[in-house]
Amino acid sequence: MKKIFLLAAAVATLGLTSCDIDNVVNIGGLSTENFPVSEEDGVAVLAGVYENLNATHANPQCSYLYMACLASDDQFGGGGTNDKLMQALDLMCNYGNDMTNVFWSQRYEGINRANTLIQALPNTAMSDNLKSQYLGEALFLRAYFYYELASMYGNVPLLTIPTGELITQGDVNMLWGQMLQDLRDAVKMMPDVRKTDGHVDKYTAEALLGRIWLFYTGFYGNGMTTADLVSTDYNPMTTVKLPDGTTMSKEEVIGYIDDCVNNSGYSLVPDFRNLWAYTNRLTVEDNPYTKGKGLKWVEDDVNGSENTNPESMFAIKFNKWASWSTTIGYGNGIALHFGVRDATYENHFPFGQGWGAGPVAPNLVNDWKAAEPDDIRRDATIQDWRDKTSYEGNYKYGGGDDFVQETDFYGKKWSPILAKKEDGSGMWCTFECAMYPGVWDQSGAAGAENFQLNNIHDLVLIRFAEVLLMQSELKGDVQGINKVRARAGLPGISSYSLTALQNERRWELACEGIRWNDIRRWHIASVVLAKQENQPVYYCGRPETNDAHNGGYSARYKATAGFQKMPESQVSLGSVKQNDGWGAADGEYTGWH
């Protein structure tokens, strides 16, 4: 598991101040006349762009990825009675002022850094090949940042050069077209080489291009109004006009995805279970579910060596320097938030402690069992707390009598993972404390433990399995689907159907933040979200049902098309107008009871 120690100087070198990230005024007002001028400068700025991926882990509850998990039909909000933001994201409601503005500010900071590098690269004293690679990476990251912002908020301001002027909303088609254009150009610029050093490559750009293409052409296929976006008609576009006047076609996108599948060198990990950190070498034989099965985490490190995950195409890297000062994001904040809401490790080994976000919805489990009863991915993805043979301990419901929307099911993929201490004295708060011993914080204390900071396993954002499923969806064939099914030990299907593709994506990518945009682009969101209502849940340990709030899931989706409330501070600047469905009492969450 490659640990990249980002250049701390990168942030300071960019010359950003606190005012720069508070709004879209002056977020690009940087001089690029003399900087960067050397290869070292270029590396520092590029590190600063990548660092933005980590920045959101200081406040992951405000991020798009977090929202995408909780808002989907496969997970609830969870958390405690005071964690109203979690529940609000699930219910598509607002809680508090400027609920997610920190994410808006951070992502525009990342865009600003990318724009600075894109404009400055021609002045750098480095080889043309290196300039092309770095430019491709900057374009990729800018497209990814915009993908998250536009998925979360809709029509956000488009900035492609550093500027000190107030930028307002434009044509949403131009916004999505710019993402596709950036990725097309990135593919052309970067060499035909798979990268294993933490940098993105052309094949990763092809994968993201496919994801963005499928969402944009499907979601906006009926038009741009809220009524168009929530319509149950699915009419995906087959061509898209780009900002430079050219047109991208579905056939071109198929070509990019075919190239990625055939030439990238990425591949499926043979055993699905080995993708997830609970199969790490320090935990695997103590975990009843994995014991004796010959499993080995694909990212296991031995004596500091690196093992490359052949399926991981784009991942956020973390390291041991997370602290309470300025580097909290160097720890995996998603793992912390999605950890078990119980401080007694013996109750839920091998899964670690956290804030209880994203309890798995019973409707996902029930649908999965009915459709694919023999799918090994279900138990590999979801822990059933009622099955005492599949984990060690005696899980106690209620999270200390403070757990909202708790279910019998827990998502394993992004969980913190415990490890037992060799001397029998207890458990490490995370397996990483034992696997990567040494200085864990900036006090210099060796092996310092802190369950809130010590999760550092990769957060994989794009897997090769998704690319195979994109290939089937775009081409209307079963080749990619059947490769994914074969890895899961399931028989192939003989003919393609959209329903079969939808199910396969749901099972394979469950609890990875992908489902939310899938149900939106297929125009099935208002129907499937309603299936979460009346599902069995626990409130502070007491059995209840997941009652409708604020009119219910379907009503809130139809009112908002799944877009979050624009941050109030951005609306007050005049850069954006408030999205539909926000501002009235039915959009405000006041609590579970």
Side-chain angles (χ1 to χ4, degrees), residues 512-528:
E512 296 181 54
I514 306 296
R515 174 73 173 170
W516 174 238
N517 265 2
D518 275 355
I519 62 176
R520 297 171 76 197
R521 68 184 177 87
W522 290 323
H523 292 265
I524 61 174
S526 61
V527 174
V528 299

Side-chain angles (χ1 to χ4, degrees), residues 128-420:
D128 289 342
N129 288 341
L130 202 55
K131 284 182 183 181
S132 294
Q133 173 64 31
Y134 286 0
L135 181 56
E137 292 181 58
L139 289 169
F140 171 93
L141 290 165
R142 182 170 74 181
Y144 181 79
F145 296 155
Y146 270 124
Y147 168 72
E148 290 200 327
L149 283 169
S151 294
M152 189 162 182
Y153 299 109
N155 191 11
V156 299
L158 175 62
L159 291 79
T160 57
I161 59 172
T163 177
E165 298 179 1
L166 177 68
I167 304 298
T168 59
Q169 291 166 304
D171 182 355
V172 72
N173 295 295
M174 187 71 67
L175 174 65
W176 286 94
Q178 185 66 52
M179 297 179 222
L180 293 170
Q181 181 175 299
D182 280 354
L183 292 166
R184 178 205 65 188
D185 293 345
V187 169
K188 292 179 180 178
M189 291 172 183
M190 292 189 281
D192 300 335
V193 176
R194 176 189 165 200
K195 305 285 284 185
T196 59
D197 58 359
H199 290 256
V200 298
D201 53 37
K202 67 166 285 188
Y203 304 111
T204 308
E206 290 174 333
L208 182 58
L209 189 153
R211 181 189 285 184
I212 289 176
W213 171 273
L214 286 169
F215 178 74
Y216 170 63
T217 58
F219 186 59
Y220 287 97
N222 299 318
M224 304 296 124
T225 70
T226 297
D228 295 329
L229 301 179
V230 302
S231 165
T232 55
D233 294 329
Y234 178 50
N235 300 299
M237 295 177 274
T238 57
T239 60
V240 172
K241 187 175 181 180
L242 304 182
D244 64 1
T246 62
T247 298
M248 183 177 289
S249 67
K250 180 179 178 181
E251 288 70 27
E252 288 178 74
V253 178
I254 290 173
Y256 291 130
I257 296 302
D258 281 347
D259 180 52
C260 184
V261 170
N262 299 329
N263 302 315
S264 68
Y266 290 100
S267 62
L268 295 178
V269 171
D271 193 309
F272 180 83
R273 295 167 292 187
N274 286 339
L275 285 164
W276 316 111
Y278 58 76
T279 58
N280 79 82
R281 61 183 170 84
L282 301 180
T283 305
V284 65
E285 291 304 313
D286 291 321
N287 177 4
Y289 170 68
T290 56
K291 183 177 181 179
K293 294 183 172 65
L295 300 175
K296 184 180 186 298
W297 187 37
V298 73
E299 295 181 25
D300 257 351
D301 280 1
V302 180
N303 297 324
S305 64
E306 298 171 11
N307 287 305
T308 301
N309 181 346
E311 194 166 335
S312 174
M313 303 187 70
F314 181 42
I316 302 178
K317 302 287 184 177
F318 304 96
N319 62 52
K320 295 189 290 186
W321 292 97
S323 75
W324 296 115
S325 54
T326 59
T327 58
I328 299 173
Y330 289 170
N332 186 337
I334 289 285
L336 169 64
H337 276 252
F338 284 75
V340 181
R341 196 172 179 84
D342 184 333
T344 305
Y345 299 161
E346 289 78 10
N347 286 340
H348 45 79
F349 180 86
F351 307 109
Q353 181 183 359
W355 306 142
V360 175
N363 46 286
L364 168 60
V365 179
N366 295 335
D367 290 350
W368 204 337
K369 285 182 177 180
E372 295 285 0
D374 299 322
D375 192 340
I376 66 166
R377 293 172 296 184
R378 187 177 62 255
D379 288 342
T381 299
I382 301 167
Q383 175 61 52
D384 185 341
W385 291 125
R386 302 166 302 180
D387 181 4
K388 304 298 184 181
T389 68
S390 63
Y391 69 101
E392 186 176 289
N394 185 24
Y395 181 78
K396 296 183 182 299
Y397 291 91
D401 295 326
D402 186 29
F403 197 168
V404 178
Q405 289 180 291
E406 182 180 13
T407 71
D408 293 316
F409 308 109
Y410 174 71
K412 296 181 177 182
K413 288 180 174 178
W414 289 355
S415 174
I417 302 299
L418 302 166
K420 294 183 179 180

Side-chain angles (χ1 to χ4, degrees), residues 17-25 27 101 104-105 569-570 573:
T17 68
S18 60
C19 295
D20 292 314
I21 64 172
D22 285 339
N23 52 59
V24 295
V25 182
I27 66 173
N101 187 58
W104 174 289
S105 300
S569 60
Q570 310 306 327
L573 284 170

Side-chain angles (χ1 to χ4, degrees), residues 438-573:
V439 177
W440 272 97
D441 59 23
Q442 295 183 23
S443 69
E449 286 191 68
N450 188 306
F451 78 93
Q452 297 183 67
L453 300 175
N454 294 167
N455 297 292
I456 63 170
H457 52 283
D458 291 359
L459 182 62
V460 179
L461 303 176
I462 301 177
R463 289 196 286 121
F464 185 66
E466 183 187 356
V467 180
L468 291 173
L469 295 175
M470 289 183 203
Q471 187 183 50
S472 277
E473 186 170 5
L474 287 163
K475 299 174 79 169
D477 66 23
V478 298
Q479 185 176 0
I481 291 175
N482 284 343
K483 287 178 181 177
V484 172
R485 288 179 62 81
R487 194 258 296 272
L490 297 172
I493 59 176
S494 58
S495 60
Y496 175 85
S497 71
L498 179 60
T499 298
L501 180 281
Q502 290 172 338
N503 284 338
E504 207 61 46
R505 284 184 65 92
R506 190 183 187 191
W507 315 143
E508 175 67 28
L509 304 171
C511 304
E512 296 181 54
I514 306 296
R515 174 73 173 170
W516 174 238
N517 265 2
D518 275 355
I519 62 176
R520 297 171 76 197
R521 68 184 177 87
W522 290 323
H523 292 265
I524 61 174
S526 61
V527 174
V528 299
L529 287 170
K531 294 180 180 180
Q532 297 176 103
E533 294 173 9
N534 300 315
Q535 292 292 314
V537 298
Y538 301 90
Y539 176 82
C540 298
R542 302 190 303 272
E544 294 189 354
T545 57
N546 195 46
D547 296 333
H549 284 70
N550 298 69
Y553 288 100
S554 183
R556 286 301 299 154
Y557 183 77
K558 289 177 180 178
T560 64
F563 291 128
Q564 268 292 311
K565 184 179 184 180
M566 289 283 190
E568 289 93 331
S569 60
Q570 310 306 327
V571 176
S572 66
L573 284 170

